[in-house]
């Protein structure tokens, strides 16, 4: 068995060496390869990568440099190069826990031929905050239609089975930089009813929130790009929902629809927080045209039910934007 670790790199000269070193320090019970895709970095990231390769010559590292095409293209290249039975995506400005190798080895031995979803830490200004997993157990085995509300939006706390990625041609949409990880997970977790998932309440990853990250960039032009990506990906997920209905995979279809509704609600909340009223009106109309509105939520929670009701009424939504300030 082998694990392929895919790391896209763009202008992370301050972090990439420590990221790679945290992987080198692991004790895995199996072989692993590190696939580094330099997506046209303009800083000294390449120097740091080559320094690490020179310092740690015994590691199986594949380094590939391409013109800047975006993180989605870089990850797709990594998938193309991967030879492992499992794929683990790691961001170049993060690190993995010192015990990650032992934890992963333990659960891969206990649950072969399963997709593993682990817990993680958020690191904000050197303060480490453990994420709260949506399970109480140490670990929990589920089928794909059973984990409504439990699907991770991230890539780096999941060990993906390469056979499913390649069999169902699961890829990122080139050029997308927003919720591209969410889209990948929706494709993957709903690819096959035969997919078995283990949720494991042990931390393997440290997610650093940096001010330079894509999610923290509030430039107006950048925000419009994020909104366009959201619309594209939500439309693609809706197509997957329609396909599941056609295939009579009803439990999976309804689970996917609920996940999609929650994600669309999240986007509309972002519209209220970060966009002007003209942009709110523009994207409301675009979502309506793609039949992503009205939202079908069926939530028992009062706040979510009320917000979905407001989203489904354009006048109420725009009035909310006009008269209420969101933080």
């Amino acid at each position: 068995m082998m694990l392929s670790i895919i790391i896209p790199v763009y202008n992370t000269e301050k972090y990439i060496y420590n990221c790679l070193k945290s992987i080198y320090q692991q004790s895995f019970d199996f072989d692993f390869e590190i696939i580094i895709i330099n997506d046209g970095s303009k800083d000294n990231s390449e120097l740091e990568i080559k320094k690490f390769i020179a310092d740690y010559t015994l590691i199986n590292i594949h380094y590939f440099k391409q013109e800047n095409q975006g993180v989605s293209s870089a990850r797709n290249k990594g998938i193309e190069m991967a030879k492992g039975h499992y794929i683990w995506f790691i961001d170049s400005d993060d690190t993995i826990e010192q015990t990650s190798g032992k934890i992963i080895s333990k659960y891969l031995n206990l649950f072969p031929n399963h997709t593993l979803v682990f817990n993680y830490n958020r690191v904000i200004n050197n303060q480490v905050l453990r994420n709260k997993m949506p399970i109480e157990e140490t670990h929990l085995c589920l089928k794909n239609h059973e984990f409504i509300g439990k699907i991770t939006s991230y890539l780096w706390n999941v060990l993906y089975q390469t056979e499913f990625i390649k069999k169902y041609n699961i890829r990122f949409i080139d050029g997308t930089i927003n919720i591209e990880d969410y889209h990948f997970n929706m494709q993957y977790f709903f690819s096959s009813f035969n997919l078995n998932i283990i949720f494991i309440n042990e931390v393997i990853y440290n997610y650093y929130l940096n001010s330079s990250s894509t999610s923290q960039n509030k430039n107006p032009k950048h925000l419009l790009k994020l909104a366009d990506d959201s619309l594209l990906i939500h439309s693609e997920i809706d197509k997957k929902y329609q396909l599941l209905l056609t295939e009579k995979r009803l439990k999976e279809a309804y689970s996917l629809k609920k996940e999609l509704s929650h994600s669309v609600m999240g986007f509309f909340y972002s519209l209220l927080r970060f966009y002007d009223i003209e942009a709110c009106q523009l994207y409301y109309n675009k979502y309506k045209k793609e039949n992503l509105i009205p939202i079908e939520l069926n939530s028992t929670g009062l706040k979510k039910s009320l917000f979905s009701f407001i989203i489904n009424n354009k006048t109420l939504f725009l009035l909310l934007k006009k008269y209420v300030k969101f933080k």
Side-chain angles (χ1 to χ4, degrees), residues 34-45:
I34 301 175
I35 301 170
I36 304 170
I37 310 296
N38 185 347
D39 187 41
S41 295
K42 298 176 182 178
D43 64 356
N44 290 320
S45 293

Side-chain angles (χ1 to χ4, degrees), residues 190-201:
F190 288 93
S191 62
S192 170
F193 187 78
N194 295 320
L195 191 69
N196 293 303
I197 304 103
I198 302 289
F199 281 82
I200 299 162
N201 204 356

Side-chain angles (χ1 to χ4, degrees), residues 134-294:
I135 63 169
E136 298 297 329
E137 302 87 344
T138 304
H139 63 270
L140 179 65
C141 182
L142 297 171
K143 300 294 288 187
N144 58 2
H145 66 279
E146 296 174 321
F147 51 68
I148 294 175
K150 296 183 176 67
I151 296 179
T152 177
S153 296
Y154 301 117
L155 303 168
W156 29 250
N157 62 324
V158 182
L159 260 64
Y160 300 92
Q161 293 169 260
T162 309
E163 64 171 308
F164 284 99
I165 291 176
K166 298 199 171 179
K167 179 179 180 180
Y168 295 101
N169 195 31
I170 299 168
R171 297 294 187 273
F172 299 89
I173 300 176
D174 284 345
T176 54
I177 59 173
N178 186 40
I179 66 170
E180 78 290 343
D181 42 8
Y182 173 77
H183 178 233
F184 186 90
N185 282 341
M186 292 302 102
Q187 293 179 84
Y188 180 84
F189 287 118
F190 288 93
S191 62
S192 170
F193 187 78
N194 295 320
L195 191 69
N196 293 303
I197 304 103
I198 302 289
F199 281 82
I200 299 162
N201 204 356
E202 294 195 50
V203 171
I204 65 166
Y205 196 90
N206 296 310
Y207 169 42
Y208 289 80
L209 277 78
N210 301 309
S211 59
S212 60
S213 68
T214 297
S215 60
Q216 304 300 314
N217 186 345
K218 300 302 183 288
N219 175 279
K221 185 177 179 181
H222 181 75
L223 286 174
L224 292 177
K225 167 61 177 167
L226 300 186
D228 286 338
D229 284 356
S230 294
L231 176 62
L232 172 61
I233 286 171
H234 286 147
S235 298
E236 289 298 313
I237 294 172
D238 187 62
K239 291 177 185 176
K240 177 67 175 179
Y241 163 69
Q242 300 296 338
L243 178 62
L244 290 175
L245 286 179
T246 302
E247 295 174 347
K248 307 298 183 183
R249 294 164 60 183
L250 299 184
K251 287 184 178 180
E252 295 166 274
Y254 298 144
S255 296
L256 180 60
K257 185 65 172 180
K258 190 164 185 177
E259 291 289 346
L260 174 60
S261 296
H262 278 101
S263 184
V264 171
M265 283 181 64
F267 170 70
F268 273 80
Y269 183 68
S270 295
L271 283 179
L272 293 173
R273 288 188 66 193
F274 303 120
Y275 294 75
D276 59 32
I277 195 164
E278 288 78 14
C280 287
Q281 185 160 0
L282 172 66
Y283 285 98
Y284 193 101
N285 292 338
K286 288 185 175 184
Y287 268 71
K288 186 76 173 178
K289 184 178 180 181
E290 293 295 322
N291 295 316
L292 294 165
I293 301 173

Side-chain angles (χ1 to χ4, degrees), residues 68-91:
N68 180 244
Q69 299 175 49
V71 66
S72 292
S73 171
R75 290 187 181 126
N76 284 338
K77 182 63 180 179
I79 292 171
E80 179 187 319
M81 296 172 64
K83 296 181 175 65
H85 299 87
Y86 287 85
I87 286 177
W88 188 9
F89 296 102
I90 292 178
D91 287 351

Side-chain angles (χ1 to χ4, degrees), residues 22-36:
S22 73
I23 299 170
Y24 170 78
Q25 294 170 338
Q26 300 302 316
S27 297
F28 292 108
D29 289 349
F30 43 80
D31 294 331
F32 69 95
E33 62 177 355
I34 301 175
I35 301 170
I36 304 170

